[in-house]
Amino acid sequence: MTDSSGSLGVAGTAAGQRAAGAASAASAYWQPVAAVVLLLALWLLQQALLQRDGGRTLVFALAIGLALGVVLQRSRFCFYCHARDWLQRDDPRGILAIILALAVGVVGMTVVQSSWVPHPQGGQLPPDMHIGPVSWVLVLAGLAFGAGMLVSGSCISAHWYRLAEGSAASPFALLGTALGFALGFQTWNPLYSLAVADAPVVWLPQHLGYGGALLLQLGVLAAWAAWVWQRHVQQRQRSLPLPAVPATAAPRSVTALWRSLWQGRWNYALGGLLVGLIATAAIVRMRPLGVTALLGSQVRGALQGQGWVPERLNGLDGFAGCATLPAATWATPNALVLLGLLAGAFIAAFASGQFRPRLPTGRDAGRGLLGGVLLGWGAMTGIGCTVGTLLSGGMAGALSGWVFGAAMLLVLWLGFRLQTWWASRA
């Protein structure tokens, strides 16, 4: 009697490969078609928006969100992933892209703000800019947000665009974020009385002038970038040289150039440059970018209707940031930015064949929910997340943005160090 298990295994493997190949071929066909259908739906939506009051601003917000979603998905722009690559893998490209985005935004927003408030030291703050109070509560919010990124594996903006890739953890992370907002609304009034009410709201141009604030912020970013690169070079000199990577041939036709946009990932520097430019463009016609205001306002409205959130959240609606005051209509610029971000990420994921959903595991659900609660509490208490507080706030010269970002980066560094220590003991 002969043993047929080996031949059965080979046949099974071959069958599995043929099935995977057929699924990949089907995906390569329907995903670009889905991207075109979604674009058509967006065109119909923008036609309807133009019929509403403030329709041009709403269409502008949708376009900004669309561009942001495409850029985030194609360049894989994620604060957590870029920090992890730098701190754990000595890959500085992502963190340098974040630094570039901040530098571009600082310059752009300085130009725009100087036309709104010609004399920054006169006591007036630029309208709608995300300039928040600075206290130990803000530091705690940044630490909580960083811990949420460690647990869930992304920041909130990345969880939004990873929905478009079929992420198993992101739906649970966003649900946990909503729960975190609910918890944040419960703790806001005590924290406000303890530290936030009397905390200073520091706008750097008000103290240093536009020129001084610009030089300070660009100087800090340049020093950070130089230190990151020098540290990378020194570590590479102490290790084995990297294998040579063959150069990619430049596209020789328009068709080849178009295809290259949907293959692999975009250059890190291009992603950082575009994020900075989009953030600057957003404030020309609407409020600064933010990706948590809609979620926060929906949670607040639903819970206040049930009496589960205080009717009065002391001072919260007076601060500039990702506002959570329930809106009378769904058609707000912030809602359209978020809708555009999701649509842009889906279009990019479909066009590049990167929509690859899988069923979640218990671990996906657990880490998503727990991490999301920390993300939501940190974003609500910090009046924004990595986009609303760090990017929009830091670019505008708000000390609160830089403090939030530093606290977030600190907890990521500690978390990665702890992971490395734990792995060395295993």
Side-chain angles (χ1 to χ4, degrees), residues 140-331:
L140 188 62
L143 294 175
F145 195 91
M149 289 197 292
L150 278 169
V151 175
S152 70
S154 286
C155 56
I156 294 176
S157 58
H159 278 305
W160 282 121
Y161 82 69
R162 283 180 174 161
L163 283 178
E165 299 171 346
S167 168
S170 290
F172 296 98
L174 292 170
L175 175 60
T177 300
L179 297 175
F181 265 92
L183 180 61
F185 291 135
Q186 293 291 340
T187 60
W188 173 259
N189 283 344
L191 291 175
Y192 180 83
S193 299
L194 279 173
V196 180
D198 298 323
V201 176
V202 181
W203 183 44
L204 294 177
Q206 200 169 56
H207 300 272
L208 305 173
Y210 284 120
L214 183 62
L215 287 175
L216 174 63
Q217 292 173 104
L218 291 182
V220 170
L221 290 172
W224 185 15
W227 178 74
V228 167
W229 185 251
Q230 181 63 25
R231 179 174 176 269
H232 169 72
V233 170
Q234 291 175 347
Q235 292 192 357
R236 285 301 177 201
Q237 288 174 344
R238 292 195 294 265
S239 63
L240 294 175
L242 292 176
V245 178
T248 303
R252 294 180 177 272
S253 66
V254 174
T255 302
L257 175 61
W258 174 254
R259 288 176 179 170
S260 71
L261 293 176
W262 311 111
Q263 296 173 351
R265 67 181 293 172
W266 289 358
N267 180 274
Y268 287 89
L270 177 62
L273 173 64
L274 291 176
V275 168
L277 291 175
I278 291 170
T280 302
I283 68 171
V284 174
R285 192 155 191 165
M286 61 182 201
R287 289 174 178 267
L289 287 179
V291 297
T292 61
L294 179 64
L295 180 60
S297 65
Q298 292 300 309
V299 171
R300 180 175 171 183
L303 295 185
Q304 282 185 335
Q306 300 296 322
W308 294 344
V309 167
E311 284 294 329
R312 179 180 175 82
L313 294 171
N314 298 330
L316 179 61
D317 299 326
F319 291 124
C322 290
T324 58
L325 186 66
T329 174
W330 68 269

Side-chain angles (χ1 to χ4, degrees), residues 323-394:
T324 58
L325 186 66
T329 174
W330 68 269
T332 65
N334 182 267
L336 269 299
V337 166
L338 187 55
L339 178 61
L341 189 157
L342 282 169
F346 269 105
I347 289 171
F350 286 151
S352 58
Q354 293 179 348
F355 177 67
R356 298 166 185 167
R358 66 174 177 83
L359 292 175
T361 63
R363 184 174 183 274
D364 292 326
R367 72 185 181 91
L369 284 170
L370 177 58
V373 169
L374 291 168
L375 289 171
W377 187 89
M380 187 274 134
T381 308
I383 322 180
C385 64
T386 46
V387 173
T389 299
L390 173 56
L391 272 185
S392 295

Side-chain angles (χ1 to χ4, degrees), residues 136 219 223-224 233 247 276 360 381 410 413 417:
W136 60 264
W224 185 15
V233 170
T381 308
L410 173 62
W413 176 76
R417 291 292 297 268

Side-chain angles (χ1 to χ4, degrees), residues 60-76:
F60 177 79
L62 181 65
I64 284 289
L66 179 66
L68 185 63
V70 171
V71 170
L72 292 180
Q73 198 282 328
R74 296 305 301 128
S75 65
R76 317 298 301 160

Side-chain angles (χ1 to χ4, degrees), residues 102 106 113 125-126 129-136 138-139 142 199-208 213 216-217 220 320 382 388-408:
L102 287 167
V106 164
Q113 289 178 144
L125 294 177
M129 291 294 102
H130 290 185
I131 306 169
V134 180
S135 69
W136 60 264
L138 178 65
V139 175
V201 176
V202 181
W203 183 44
L204 294 177
Q206 200 169 56
H207 300 272
L208 305 173
L216 174 63
Q217 292 173 104
V220 170
T389 299
L390 173 56
L391 272 185
S392 295
M395 290 174 177
L399 182 60
S400 56
W402 300 109
V403 170
F404 183 87
M408 181 187 71

Side-chain angles (χ1 to χ4, degrees), residues 12-61:
T13 301
Q17 290 175 343
R18 286 195 297 271
S24 177
S27 174
Y29 170 76
W30 74 261
Q31 290 197 22
V33 173
V36 173
V37 171
L38 188 50
L39 272 174
L40 177 61
L42 287 176
W43 181 81
L44 294 174
L45 175 60
Q46 68 94 17
Q47 293 297 313
L49 290 173
L50 287 174
Q51 308 305 314
R52 303 177 68 97
D53 292 337
R56 291 185 179 276
T57 299
L58 295 177
V59 170
F60 177 79

